[in-house]
Structures are given as C-alpha cells and as structure tokens.
Amino acid sequence: MKDIREAATKVKLGPEKKRLQSKREREMTAYHEAGHAVGGHMLPGADPIHTVSIVSRELSLGHTESRPSRDRYQYTMSELKDRLAVMMGGRAAEKIIYNELSGGAASDISGATNLARKMVVDLGMSKLGPLALGSSWEAGGAMERGFMRQVEVSDRMQSKVDDEIKLFIDEAYSRAETVLKKNKTMMDKLVKKLLKVETIETGEFLKIVGLKKVTYDKKVSIS
C-alpha cells in the first residue's frame, strides 16, 4: 500500500526532489501545510485530512491531501465555502506566524479563484442569484440561420461577477485566519511533528489533532 500511495502521489505531484532549503524555508513550508490541514480538520464541511507532507516534489514544496469519508456526488454552498477556506489556510498560516507572505500559495490562490468563479458564474451561489453568467452560445437570428453566436455578459455585469468572486475569497481568507488563530497550539504541534518525520498520514494526524467534527453522522476513527 505504501508503494501504491507513493505511485499515486508521483502521478499527481511529481517525484520527490531534494531541494536545498534553509531551516526557515522548511519551517515555513511546514506551517503552510499545517494551515491547510488544521483548517481542513476544524471546518466541518471540509473533507477529512488524509496526508500532510513537507516532502518536496516536482510541482510543490509540500502537500496536504484530503479525501471524503463517503461517496460525494455534489457539494453544498457551505461545504464549498469551507473548501475555499482550507485553500486559503496556507497563506493565512504564513501571515499569522511570520507576518510575511511567500510564493508558495500561488496554486492555492489560483484554485480558490477558479472555484469561487464557478460558484458565481455556473452555480448561482452569489448575491447575483441563479444566473448563468459565463460565455454561452445561441442560435443566430433570421439573417444568421444555421449559425451559432457567442453571447458574453456585459462589462457592467462582469464587474459585478468580479466583485462577488473577491467577496468569496476575502471571506474564505478571513475564516481561515480566524480558525488558525484559535487553534495555533494545534498547528504548532503539527509543525513540530512534520519537521521531524516530514510526512504524516491519517492515524498519526488524528492522534495530534483529535477526531474531526463532521456535518453528517459518522465519526472518523483513528486507524
């Protein structure tokens, strides 16, 4: 199973890479990943944490992986907001601990922005209501019979879409920061362990942070 997990991780994130990192860089990576992990553990709508690692790979300096405890076919707005907050957890942890920001959150920011855009544009979860606000295609008029034309939202509406996306991201960052400040001791313990062993999986993770409170009637047990 260890070999299978490593193979799956290699496909997703690339092979392990030995990078010469300073003590501060390595610690910052640990806090970044701990920010994701503690946020994912404390926010009830987020999927349970499976792996936290500061092993450098081709595409990252570390990674935090979560997995649902049951089959999931759709997510509610509350669960998606929790997911956004988890994505912002790494950046929030850096700010809390170092009062500094790094480039390590680039992929988190990109992923969170794309998810927030989907919530606004495709899922109708913003204050703009249940509107399809992305580009669409419609049949041409009488003079364009047999042709399809692309329909774009107006500049005014696009500005509103951008504002709603930013609101989702700002709220997610604020929630992540609040959760991590309240659970800084938990984050410190996790970082201490990560710096020692580099990779922590479910059983050891739950021994450090305790059982996760979830939104459905099923507890995550320590294996």
Side-chain angles (χ1 to χ4, degrees):
M1 285 305 300
K2 181 179 180 181
D3 293 334
I4 292 173
R5 286 195 297 269
E6 171 58 26
T9 303
K10 184 183 290 187
V11 169
K12 288 185 288 185
L13 300 175
E16 291 186 16
K17 286 212 168 185
K18 299 297 182 183
R19 290 186 170 96
L20 294 176
Q21 299 183 68
S22 68
K23 181 179 178 181
R24 176 183 169 84
E25 287 174 331
R26 192 164 176 268
E27 184 185 78
M28 183 175 282
T29 298
Y31 270 108
H32 181 101
E33 298 306 329
H36 289 308
V38 171
H41 185 71
M42 298 307 298
L43 292 164
D47 291 330
I49 300 300
H50 177 70
T51 305
V52 189
S53 177
I54 58 170
V55 174
S56 178
R57 293 184 177 273
E58 184 175 5
L59 301 178
S60 66
L61 294 177
H63 69 278
T64 299
E65 182 182 0
S66 61
R67 293 181 185 177
S69 297
R70 57 185 172 89
D71 290 339
R72 302 295 295 271
Y73 301 102
Q74 62 181 356
Y75 287 86
T76 65
M77 182 175 176
S78 296
E79 289 167 340
L80 291 176
K81 282 186 172 183
D82 281 354
R83 178 177 284 193
L84 284 175
V86 173
M87 291 178 176
M88 291 290 100
R91 168 57 62 91
E94 292 176 2
K95 185 67 173 177
I96 291 169
I97 301 300
Y98 301 101
N99 193 31
E100 184 61 273
L101 305 176
S102 79
S107 61
D108 301 329
I109 294 170
S110 176
T113 303
N114 289 337
L115 176 56
R117 180 177 291 110
K118 185 176 181 65
M119 292 169 69
V120 175
V121 170
D122 299 325
L123 305 181
M125 291 180 172
S126 73
K127 295 177 183 176
L128 298 178
L131 296 173
L133 297 169
S135 298
S136 60
W137 293 83
E138 68 177 14
M143 300 297 292
E144 302 172 307
R145 189 165 298 164
F147 293 92
M148 299 293 288
R149 61 187 179 192
Q150 190 171 14
V151 180
E152 302 281 356
V153 298
S154 67
D155 291 342
R156 180 183 176 189
M157 181 59 78
Q158 185 59 56
S159 179
K160 292 181 179 181
V161 168
D162 294 340
D163 289 342
E164 292 300 311
I165 292 171
K166 188 173 188 306
L167 282 174
F168 273 132
I169 297 299
D170 288 347
E171 178 189 352
Y173 181 86
S174 179
R175 293 183 68 216
E177 192 173 52
T178 298
V179 168
L180 296 182
K181 283 181 177 178
K182 288 182 178 179
N183 296 277
K184 184 178 177 298
T185 300
M186 181 187 295
M187 191 162 57
D188 291 339
K189 289 180 180 178
L190 190 57
V191 166
K192 184 177 180 180
K193 188 69 174 181
L194 278 171
L195 292 174
K196 182 177 181 181
V197 302
E198 294 192 325
T199 298
I200 299 173
E201 296 189 355
T202 306
E204 190 63 33
F205 176 74
L206 293 177
K207 288 178 183 177
I208 296 171
V209 301
L211 293 178
K212 176 179 175 63
K213 295 180 180 179
V214 292
T215 54
Y216 47 91
D217 296 331
K218 182 178 180 181
K219 288 187 176 181
V220 179
S221 60
I222 297 177
S223 58

